Amino acid sequence: MTREELNQKKQKKILSEARHKKEKKIFLFLIKILIVLFILGGGFYLLNKYIFTSQIVVKEERISNKKIPSSFNGIKIIQFSDLHYGSTIFIDEVKELVKLINVRNPDLVVFTGDLIDKNYNLKADEQELLIKQLALINSSIGKYAIAGEEDADNFLTIFNQSGFTILSNDYDLIYAGSNDPILLVGVSSKLKQLDDIDKAFSYFKQEVYNANIYTIALVHEGDLIEEINKEYKADLFLAGHSHNNSILYPWGESPYKIEGALKYSEEYYDLGDSKVYVSSGVGTNGNKIRFLTLPSINFFRLSSKEGL
């Protein structure tokens, strides 16, 4: 073999070794990327399953307004919403929810829509268990519910049999130890085309009514507030539907919003004379994912004066 042939052979060997080293580096780099993605994916799954969808928090707020009768000072209201039973919430989680509510001894409990997940087939025995648990919720004044866009006939059955009053474009006068009531209004789902704002607020069209009555409006989709405010006013709006956008970036923004909650999706809005609280819900919607938004219930204390 000539010197030239030896040099060519040696050169080929060097190039081959260099190519193998490069391929090895690329392979190891890809393995590292896959490991990182696996860790991130596993971490996201664990956070979503055991933290962001299961740790129900209680958001407590004091509502002060001079229109609130003095007999309502200290009255406690709990709002829960968007249970989406069959998503990430089942009977064990409902039992924990009932405990969270009852330990606070609420005077008024309100539910603002979407009881059963639309993709879940609720079995008869589960329905009975759910009725039994919701019936255990205690309140000294009453329990009320409005329907969301995913609620069907079993919504009526479950809440009627568990002691809730269903406000389907209707209202009720709430009393607390005096003849001075507050007004509770419930508007049905706009997305399901069941809303009738005039009917729900028909109290204000009666010949004898208190124009200065403190009014709480229950709506499922927050964006319905825009339509209500064109003709009527409520001092306190309690809404659901948005899950407070379900997924948040670390800097607080969300990659998406859903129809019906394009304007009112975050947890609080101050509209001057009106306050808006949007529940983050208890369950999850179709994707069964939350990120940096925890399931929650809202806990309000009423006061006729600041500082009480």
Side-chain angles (χ1 to χ4, degrees):
M1 185 177 291
T2 65
R3 180 178 295 179
E4 184 177 350
E5 289 175 332
L6 287 170
N7 286 338
Q8 288 177 349
K9 185 177 181 181
K10 186 174 183 181
Q11 187 66 28
K12 286 181 179 179
K13 184 178 180 182
I14 292 172
L15 290 174
S16 177
E17 289 176 351
R19 185 173 66 252
H20 285 310
K21 284 183 179 179
K22 186 177 181 180
E23 290 173 348
K24 185 178 180 180
K25 285 183 179 180
I26 293 173
F27 178 75
L28 291 174
F29 177 75
L30 291 174
I31 290 295
K32 289 178 181 178
I33 292 293
L34 289 173
I35 291 172
V36 170
L37 291 175
F38 178 78
I39 292 172
L40 290 175
F44 179 82
Y45 171 79
L46 292 173
L47 283 172
N48 181 67
K49 184 172 180 61
Y50 296 107
I51 301 296
F52 294 131
T53 62
S54 61
Q55 303 297 315
I56 302 175
V57 300
V58 180
K59 298 177 181 178
E60 184 170 354
E61 297 288 342
R62 182 173 294 277
I63 307 295
S64 298
N65 191 304
K66 63 182 180 181
K67 291 169 64 177
I68 296 174
S70 59
S71 59
F72 280 83
N73 282 332
I75 287 293
K76 294 175 286 187
I77 301 174
I78 282 185
Q79 175 202 10
F80 71 109
S81 189
D82 296 271
L83 197 69
H84 288 279
Y85 187 96
S87 58
T88 50
I89 299 296
F90 294 90
I91 201 64
D92 286 341
E93 288 77 21
V94 174
K95 289 178 180 179
E96 291 302 314
L97 171 66
V98 172
K99 288 178 183 178
L100 273 179
I101 293 173
N102 283 344
V103 76
R104 285 160 178 81
N105 297 313
D107 300 291
L108 190 64
V109 175
V110 297
F111 176 77
T112 48
D114 283 354
L115 178 63
I116 309 298
D117 190 77
K118 63 182 179 181
N119 298 315
Y120 188 73
N121 183 23
L122 187 71
K123 299 179 180 64
D125 59 337
E126 289 180 295
Q127 178 167 303
E128 291 305 312
L129 288 172
L130 189 53
I131 291 170
K132 181 179 179 180
Q133 286 302 313
L134 293 176
L136 292 175
I137 293 177
N138 296 320
S139 63
S140 63
I141 294 176
K143 304 186 291 189
Y144 292 83
I146 62 168
E149 87 282 3
E150 294 191 11
D151 290 315
D153 291 341
N154 56 14
F155 167 87
L156 298 173
T157 301
I158 291 168
F159 275 119
N160 278 327
Q161 293 187 22
S162 56
F164 279 73
T165 298
I166 298 172
L167 296 177
S168 299
N169 299 312
D170 205 351
Y171 70 85
D172 200 6
L173 293 170
I174 309 297
Y175 294 87
S178 77
N179 293 325
D180 297 320
I182 64 174
L183 181 67
L184 184 66
V185 178
V187 185
S188 299
S189 172
K190 173 70 174 179
L191 290 178
K192 211 170 182 179
Q193 299 181 332
L194 296 175
D195 59 306
D196 188 336
I197 295 172
D198 288 333
K199 182 175 181 292
F201 282 83
S202 61
Y203 170 82
F204 291 103
K205 295 184 178 181
Q206 295 180 12
E207 291 184 7
V208 180
Y209 75 97
N210 178 5
N212 200 43
I213 192 169
Y214 185 79
T215 302
I216 300 174
L218 309 180
V219 297
H220 181 62
E221 302 97 354
D223 289 352
L224 195 56
I225 294 168
E226 290 286 281
E227 294 188 39
I228 292 172
N229 278 338
K230 290 177 182 177
E231 187 170 352
Y232 304 98
K233 295 293 181 184
D235 301 287
L236 177 64
F237 286 97
L238 302 182
H241 185 59
S242 77
H243 298 263
N244 293 158
N245 298 318
S246 294
I247 299 172
L248 296 179
Y249 294 126
W251 52 90
E253 295 181 3
S254 176
Y256 74 98
K257 291 185 179 182
I258 60 175
E259 185 183 2
L262 298 177
K263 184 166 185 178
Y264 296 103
S265 62
E266 298 176 11
E267 63 182 49
Y268 175 70
Y269 297 88
D270 189 338
L271 304 183
D273 292 335
S274 301
K275 310 299 179 187
V276 177
Y277 288 90
V278 182
S279 171
S280 70
V282 180
T284 55
N285 53 21
N287 57 29
K288 300 183 181 181
I289 293 174
R290 285 182 183 266
F291 187 68
L292 299 181
T293 58
L294 294 172
S296 69
I297 60 176
N298 287 334
F299 178 36
F300 306 103
R301 294 177 186 268
L302 299 186
S303 172
S304 60
K305 295 180 182 178
E306 293 286 347
L308 286 180

